[in-house]
Amino acid sequence: MTTQESTPTASAGPGATPFIRRGAIARGLKTTGPAILGYGFRPFFFGGAIWAVMAMLLWILSLTIGLSIGGSYGGVNWHAHEMVFGFAPAILAGFLLTAVPNWTGRLPVSGTPLASLVGVWLAGRIVFLAPDLMHLHIAVIIESLFLPLLLFIAAREIVAGKQWRNLKVLSGVAIIMIANLTFHYMVLTNGDVALANRLGVSAFVLLVMLIGGRIIPSFTRNWLNRTGETRFPVPFNRYDGLCILVGAIACLGWISAPDHSLTAVLAMIAAAFHAVRLYRWRGWAVTREKLLLILHVSYAFIPAGFIAIACAALGRLNPYSALHVMTVGVVGCMMLAVMTRATRGHTGHKLAASSLTQVAYMCIVASALIRPFAEIMPNFFHTLLAASALLWMAAFGLYIVEYAPMLLRHRQQHG
């Protein structure tokens, strides 16, 4: 059966990505293969959501019944790695492989090349469950292949499309790749993986600052315009660039000197800048549209995360609490928000959050709010950890229940 997946252009409404090249035309993809290989978001959102649930479940089982995961790599290291460098890059890949055709006007990566890339990602997840079966070093090599391949494919498409301005997005992917390699090196040499973890998380946070800073005000403006509103979010300008710079400097302080008082100062300054940035986007005006509201809520975890980093630097908060504000709050919430919106928009469904989607949003936000308290309230550590984990699994589990049919079927056509 032949079908066509259309890629929205800049004029395609609120579901389109505002990084599109001016004047680019919508491109389609005809395929005789399975729908899930028709576009990058399909297999990576589907696989990433499944892994978000499975990896968390395995981690909880390792804590409760002593299930062995990660072999000599270590269960704690395995959990940290698979959340930051296993689950999150899959969602990033789904976003990039869907956004890049919008930016360039070129056909998306699909079919066998896409299946091969998914296979490399999946191989990394499988071998790392028991890396000693084939030797830890070989498992590390296999796991480390995915990010360089993703970086190469995305760079090739952007360069071929002469979209030089979008190459800066790939700097985040490159940092994540370096952080992943550093994480492995630290484990293999009995070093401290915390620095590599902070580096990887910071790269994702910077991508949210960059990409979220484009799509959130753009989507918000489109929705407000349709409702007849005349007051719109402030479009991307020099202040936004300054916010990203200040945020990057604060992240550098957190990466290199998380306990230093200067890091606390930098983080508080970054928190203030990003709180003002979020205010400029008028999120309170879109409370009726939960598909938009979740984007604003997700971004709000950035200033909250910087405040947590400042408190941790001053010894007023456990460092792991600060870390999880960024990982579960910024990364987890924003990824679920983007997954639901992109899936709906690119499969021809209405851009509105269903009741099930709204429950998923509440679960991920609750998970992000609860998780930092596990270290703050050690007497309730396991209870809070379990509650946060269950809410995390519920959020991505609900995504699978509602969105898997959309991902596995060809684009819904409207007559």
Side-chain angles (χ1 to χ4, degrees):
M1 181 174 64
T2 301
T3 188
Q4 183 167 330
E5 299 247 22
S6 61
T7 304
T9 64
S11 60
T17 306
F19 285 83
I20 182 77
R21 176 181 51 163
R22 180 168 295 182
I25 60 173
R27 303 298 298 269
L29 174 66
K30 291 183 178 180
T31 177
T32 55
I36 197 167
L37 295 178
Y39 232 124
F41 74 93
R42 291 178 177 272
F44 280 113
F45 286 1
F46 183 60
I50 291 175
W51 192 238
V53 175
M54 292 302 299
M56 189 62 73
L57 176 61
L58 292 172
W59 172 236
I60 294 301
L61 290 176
S62 73
L63 293 177
T64 54
I65 65 173
L67 178 69
S68 178
I69 51 173
S72 60
Y73 201 81
V76 174
N77 290 334
W78 179 88
H79 168 66
H81 181 273
E82 288 306 293
M83 288 293 101
V84 178
F85 302 109
F87 151 73
I91 308 306
L92 177 60
F95 171 82
L96 277 178
L97 295 177
T98 306
V100 166
N102 283 353
W103 303 344
T104 64
R106 290 168 55 82
L107 290 172
V109 176
S110 61
T112 301
L114 179 58
S116 299
L117 186 61
V118 173
V120 172
W121 174 79
L122 184 59
R125 312 287 63 77
I126 293 172
V127 299
F128 247 51
L129 285 171
D132 301 303
L133 290 179
M134 62 172 56
H135 196 284
L136 180 58
H137 290 80
I138 296 176
V140 165
I141 291 172
I142 293 173
E143 198 288 323
S144 300
L145 292 175
F146 174 70
L147 284 167
L149 284 174
L150 174 63
L151 183 62
F152 170 77
I153 291 170
R156 181 195 64 188
E157 292 299 306
I158 290 175
V159 170
K162 298 180 180 179
Q163 289 300 295
W164 315 115
R165 67 188 291 263
N166 289 315
L167 282 174
K168 59 180 175 289
V169 174
L170 299 189
S171 62
V173 182
I175 295 171
I176 295 166
M177 179 187 70
I178 293 170
N180 185 42
L181 294 172
T182 304
F183 194 103
H184 288 316
Y185 175 78
M186 291 297 184
V187 171
L188 295 176
T189 58
N190 295 316
D192 182 9
V193 300
L195 183 146
N197 209 16
R198 293 193 299 272
L199 178 61
V201 172
S202 293
F204 279 110
V205 171
L206 287 170
L207 284 173
V208 171
M209 293 180 194
L210 178 63
I211 300 172
R214 298 279 186 176
I215 67 174
I216 297 174
S218 175
F219 293 163
T220 301
R221 188 189 191 285
N222 289 345
W223 189 84
L224 291 174
N225 186 53
R226 292 201 311 274
T227 62
E229 179 64 66
T230 57
R231 293 170 294 177
F232 301 118
V234 179
F236 193 98
N237 57 25
R238 291 182 179 178
Y239 179 80
D240 295 274
L242 181 60
C243 281
I244 294 171
L245 176 61
V246 171
I249 293 172
C251 284
L252 283 174
W254 182 45
I255 294 165
S256 58
D259 301 326
H260 202 284
S261 58
L262 178 59
T263 297
V265 173
L266 293 173
M268 287 304 296
I269 293 172
F273 267 86
H274 284 274
V276 172
R277 188 188 197 198
L278 183 62
Y279 176 81
R280 285 155 44 103
W281 295 340
R282 297 181 54 80
W284 64 87
V286 298
T287 54
R288 289 185 290 122
E289 180 47 76
K290 303 303 186 290
L291 207 65
L292 266 176
L293 180 62
I294 187 61
L295 292 171
H296 291 266
V297 171
S298 300
Y299 200 93
F301 279 104
I302 289 183
F306 279 126
I307 292 172
I309 287 171
C311 291
L314 297 174
R316 301 300 180 93
L317 187 67
N318 188 290
Y320 289 105
S321 294
L323 176 69
H324 283 98
V325 174
M326 288 299 199
T327 53
V328 185
V330 179
V331 180
C333 288
M334 186 60 76
M335 286 189 166
L336 184 62
V338 169
M339 289 163 68
T340 51
R341 185 181 186 91
T343 302
R344 286 187 171 277
H346 285 276
T347 57
H349 289 78
K350 183 180 179 182
L351 284 173
S354 67
S355 297
L356 206 60
T357 296
Q358 292 181 47
V359 173
Y361 291 162
M362 287 187 287
C363 287
I364 193 65
V365 172
S367 176
L369 293 174
I370 290 173
R371 179 58 185 86
F373 284 94
E375 286 82 14
I376 296 172
M377 305 171 66
N379 290 337
F380 300 94
F381 176 83
H382 289 98
T383 300
L384 294 172
L385 186 67
S388 179
L390 288 172
L391 287 165
W392 171 278
M393 289 189 288
F396 288 97
L398 289 172
Y399 173 85
I400 295 168
V401 169
E402 182 173 7
Y403 290 89
M406 302 182 196
L407 297 170
L408 297 172
R409 297 171 186 163
H410 287 295
R411 179 181 171 87
Q412 182 171 291
Q413 301 293 331
H414 300 284

